[in-house]
């Protein structure tokens, strides 16, 4: 069992930055790959970024590539999402999730989820 708690969301202006954090507790987080997803009102949950167990492999959705950076600190059981050059279309609830397998973008492929943190970007 893994518990995940996201933080760092809030209100930002277009072009601004936010950094999300996700702290894992329970089973050692370094045994899991981790991902960030987001869900806007009326839309399906979508993949944002992925990082493997060691942090050596990352992957991004095309919509955030070059603007967002995922990283992790296994000593702190924490994964981060640095979001730069924010756009109004980035507005959503952001979720972190873990899986025991390798790279995946489908939400159903992830085993545990956090409760989400709201990100709102104003124009």
């Amino acid at each position: 069992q893994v518990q995940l708690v996201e933080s760092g969301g809030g209100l930002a202006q277009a072009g601004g930055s936010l950094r999300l954090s996700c702290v894992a507790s329970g089973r050692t987080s370094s045994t899991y790959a981790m991902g960030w997803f987001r869900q806007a009102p009326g839309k399906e949950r979508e993949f944002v970024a992925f990082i493997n167990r060691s942090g050596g492999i990352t992957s991004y959705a095309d919509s955030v590539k070059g603007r967002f950076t995922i990283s992790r600190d296994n000593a702190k059981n924490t994964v981060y999402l640095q979001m730069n050059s924010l756009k109004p279309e980035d507005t959503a609830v952001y979720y972190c999730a873990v899986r025991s397998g390798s790279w995946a973008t489908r939400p159903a492929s992830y085993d545990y989820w956090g409760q989400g943190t709201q990100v709102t970007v104003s124009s």
Side-chain angles (χ1 to χ4, degrees):
Q1 190 81 10
V2 177
Q3 294 79 42
L4 303 170
V5 179
E6 302 97 334
S7 63
L11 178 64
Q13 290 189 336
S17 299
L18 286 173
R19 188 175 83 154
L20 306 184
S21 300
C22 173
V23 179
S25 60
R27 188 173 174 182
T28 306
S29 68
S30 61
T31 65
Y32 291 91
M34 302 185 80
W36 284 98
F37 291 78
R38 66 187 182 187
Q39 188 166 18
K43 295 187 176 181
E44 294 186 351
R45 192 167 299 188
E46 65 174 2
F47 169 76
V48 174
F50 167 88
I51 190 166
N52 73 336
R53 294 183 184 89
S54 68
I57 296 175
T58 59
S59 176
Y60 300 91
D62 287 342
S63 59
V64 307
K65 201 172 294 183
R67 300 187 298 121
F68 291 10
T69 302
I70 189 171
S71 61
R72 67 189 297 164
D73 184 339
N74 287 339
K76 296 181 178 180
N77 293 330
T78 302
V79 65
Y80 304 97
L81 186 68
Q82 178 67 44
M83 306 186 296
N84 298 328
S85 301
L86 284 163
K87 303 176 180 180
E89 51 263 44
D90 294 320
T91 296
V93 177
Y94 283 71
Y95 300 89
C96 67
V98 299
R99 62 179 263 105
S100 55
S102 58
W103 178 77
T105 61
R106 293 189 311 122
S109 298
Y110 286 74
D111 304 307
Y112 300 101
W113 291 82
Q115 83 290 346
T117 185
Q118 175 71 47
V119 171
T120 303
V121 183
S122 62
S123 58

